[in-house]
Amino acid sequence: MDAAPDDVFIDEISFPATDGYALTGTLFLPRGAKRHAVLINSATAVPRKIYRGFASYLAHRGCAVLTYDYRGIGDSRQPAMVGYNQPKSLVGFKASMSDWAAQDVTAAVRWMRERYTTLPLAYVGHSFGGQALGLIANNTEISRAAFVASQAATWRLMTSPEKYRVFAFMNLIGVPLAHALGYAPGWAGIGADLPKGVFLQWADWVSSPRYLFDSKLPALENFAKFKGELRALCFSDDPWATRPAVELLTGGFSAIKPEVLTVKPSDVGAKAIGHFGFFRPEHRDTLWRGVAEWIQGE
């Protein structure tokens, strides 16, 4: 884990989702003047801790930054009543990806906007975190959004042979497991454990030609509300967030003209980046700096 700079103050916090559910987050603050506020929104089944280094870097540059876990993930998963530091079972836990957006992401945006009323509010979305921007009604509060490997994740737009592995896993292993166990276990290869409703909605979207755009969600109307600046990064060695998949997602923001940039690992002196590599500290002076300067309008 990347150590925080000495000039960054880190505070573990809790804040309520729109329905009152307690979400856990980490606030990264510069010890000097705050010039921007930034909300980092996680990928599916990814605890917020992987964003710690990047959040510290942004705070070092004068940003007030919040990372947080969606309900049922990381520290926003309820603890067990018995057993030392054990998470409560997700069996029977009610949540979906659209709930994450409507109740958790919406609340995080509101919390940051209410706390930092005079600062421009930027939004960093990793994978699902970018998708959620289009589903929240208060995305009008965001001045700039930076997407990192964020896509309309239909299996059809993934690279071969990964696309066939994903389709087979989701439908032949993941869905039956979620029904049998009452949740989707992380040991099956998805990262963290996922609530059953989250995984089943995710599998349905992945199996649909246009991902979440083929759903009947009323919240899809919020895509057209976003009027801020949007830059989306895709990486040439990422089998999931391919450029066509990134363009399918960003194309949903009909009121603006999003900017999509493709980065090759060789462009930044790396051997690989993939779906998660952006957040490795080795990219501090390349990828991190580029996104930070864009967020801060430099």
Side-chain angles (χ1 to χ4, degrees), residues 43-282:
T44 306
V46 176
R48 73 189 189 283
K49 63 185 178 182
I50 84 156
Y51 307 109
R52 186 179 182 91
F54 182 55
S56 295
Y57 173 79
L58 291 175
H60 171 71
R61 292 179 57 99
C63 300
V65 186
L66 176 65
T67 64
Y68 65 106
D69 290 323
Y70 308 129
R71 64 187 63 210
I73 300 294
D75 294 324
S76 293
R77 181 171 173 179
Q78 297 165 330
M81 296 301 290
V82 294
Y84 177 71
N85 202 28
Q86 293 296 311
K88 186 177 181 180
S89 170
L90 288 175
V91 175
F93 185 81
K94 302 297 184 185
S96 65
M97 295 189 100
S98 49
D99 289 338
W100 279 354
Q103 298 173 344
D104 301 352
V105 182
T106 297
V109 169
R110 182 173 63 193
W111 192 88
M112 287 294 279
R113 176 38 71 224
E114 291 176 350
R115 188 177 183 94
Y116 302 106
T117 54
T118 62
L119 300 181
L121 178 57
Y123 183 108
V124 174
H126 180 209
S127 202
F128 170 76
Q131 300 162 22
L133 179 68
L135 296 174
I136 60 174
N138 61 347
N139 62 26
T140 52
E141 301 289 345
I142 306 298
S143 58
R144 290 195 168 209
F147 287 0
V148 176
S150 191
Q151 81 285 38
T154 171
W155 70 275
R156 293 164 176 82
L157 294 180
M158 298 176 186
T159 59
S160 296
E162 181 67 6
K163 63 198 299 184
Y164 302 109
R165 188 197 70 81
V166 168
F167 181 83
F169 169 79
M170 294 294 250
N171 292 283
L172 303 180
I173 299 174
V175 169
L177 263 182
H179 282 299
L181 300 179
Y183 73 103
W187 54 255
I190 57 173
D193 295 344
L194 286 177
K196 176 182 177 181
V198 169
F199 184 84
L200 293 181
Q201 188 173 46
W202 186 26
D204 179 59
W205 290 355
V206 167
S207 298
S208 301
R210 299 181 68 251
Y211 193 63
L212 82 174
F213 295 116
D214 285 335
S215 71
K216 304 298 183 183
L217 285 177
L220 286 171
E221 67 182 18
N222 293 323
F223 270 85
K225 295 180 180 178
F226 181 66
K227 304 289 177 61
E229 300 288 328
L230 172 55
R231 172 178 285 185
L233 298 185
C234 56
F235 305 102
S236 62
D237 63 334
D238 183 350
W240 303 328
T242 60
R243 187 175 180 106
V246 173
E247 289 178 341
L248 178 55
L249 176 65
T250 57
F253 294 93
S254 56
I256 61 172
K257 290 185 177 180
E259 179 184 21
V260 179
L261 302 178
T262 300
V263 179
K264 299 176 183 177
S266 60
D267 292 341
V268 293
K271 292 183 178 178
I273 301 174
H275 198 60
F276 298 96
F278 173 93
F279 297 99
R280 293 195 300 263
E282 67 197 61

